[in-house]
Amino acid sequence: MAICITSAASYIPEEIITNKDLSKRFNQKFDVEEWILQKTGVVERRKSNLSPSKQGFLAAKDLLEKDGNDIDFIIVNTFTGDYTLPQTATLIQEKLGLDQAFAFEINMPCAGPVYALSIAEMFLKSGRYSKGLLIGVDKMLDAIDPEDFLMNVLFGEGAGALIVEKKESIINKGIIDFYLGSYIEGDVGEDYSLKVLAGKSNYPIQNYTLNQKDHFLQMEGRKVKNFICEKLNESINWLLSKHIKTVDDLDYIITHQANKVVIEKCLKDQGIPSSKILKTVEFLGNTGSGSIYITIAEHFARFSEKNKKILICGMGGGLTWGAIFYKT
């Protein structure tokens, strides 16, 4: 038996925000377009006027027309859902008309798709279910301060969707193994390197939280960069210790699309060339929970190649991280 990603699709918004657009919007004392390319590798990013549930629906609907029979469960990754309640997962379920399935969501950007794939693998191996639909989407440009230059450089919007199935007649293919990790930093909110402090019971949104912009995503860039490199290295070492002899045995790697320059530098230090790194960040930016799903969808032809070894890894908000070893 194998647990395989059998199809993938994405919703890419039409509105494009280029580096030139940001240069006009933010008055900086340096060449904004050149700086963005050197620091992030992002050329442009997309913006959607649609709700997360609508974006998720658009990513998934074409999949269901081709391969949507007998969906047993739906897992949605988002931290910027339509509402606190009802869940975005059940809103998407209703839009798709999948009354026979059950749906839930994971409030975890960045590494969330790795967690969702791991949960789906366990569901499918249990023998109770045969097919799952996984969706990732975030309204990242609504989640950040519109006056924060650095955050607006990094983030974009879009949604991705996968169908994961149990294949009884196949062995030693699909999801071979996974590992997951998490920890919290410090003792108080100010120590967190990725945070949205306001909006829940500990810190309800009020006038002073709005004035302090605590309802927006805030990030300590240097800490996050170090965390990304640390966990990418850990993912590679996990793979080497359990499944491959050298990094030359790895055919492709898909990471959370945090920052092209940082990812390529970290992986180059591990001996992995840019040609093996499957990316979408240059033209979409960091799409949060949709990032890994969109990248799989945009490079899904690689999953049709025979006998390829693929590492899928995510790291970010939580702080959380994880990796999946996949064989085609």
Side-chain angles (χ1 to χ4, degrees), residues 85-128:
L85 287 174
Q87 290 190 87
T88 300
T90 50
L91 294 173
I92 294 175
Q93 177 188 20
E94 189 274 333
K95 286 178 168 66
L96 293 171
L98 295 176
D99 296 339
Q100 81 284 357
F102 65 90
F104 65 96
E105 65 192 49
I106 302 175
N107 178 3
M108 185 191 299
C110 313
V114 174
Y115 276 67
L117 280 164
S118 303
I119 292 168
E121 191 253 14
M122 290 185 282
F123 277 173
L124 295 169
K125 277 190 173 179
S126 74
R128 297 187 65 177

Side-chain angles (χ1 to χ4, degrees), residues 31-44:
D31 185 331
V32 168
E33 295 180 61
E34 183 64 24
W35 186 92
I36 293 173
L37 284 176
Q38 288 183 356
K39 297 294 184 180
T40 72
V42 177
V43 176
E44 62 188 36

Side-chain angles (χ1 to χ4, degrees), residues 25-56:
R25 179 174 156 193
F26 293 95
N27 184 21
Q28 303 291 333
K29 296 180 180 179
F30 50 83
D31 185 331
V32 168
E33 295 180 61
E34 183 64 24
W35 186 92
I36 293 173
L37 284 176
Q38 288 183 356
K39 297 294 184 180
T40 72
V42 177
V43 176
E44 62 188 36
R45 66 288 295 146
R46 302 296 180 105
K47 177 177 174 57
S48 176
N49 293 320
L50 302 177
S51 67
S53 66
K54 182 66 173 179
Q55 291 185 64

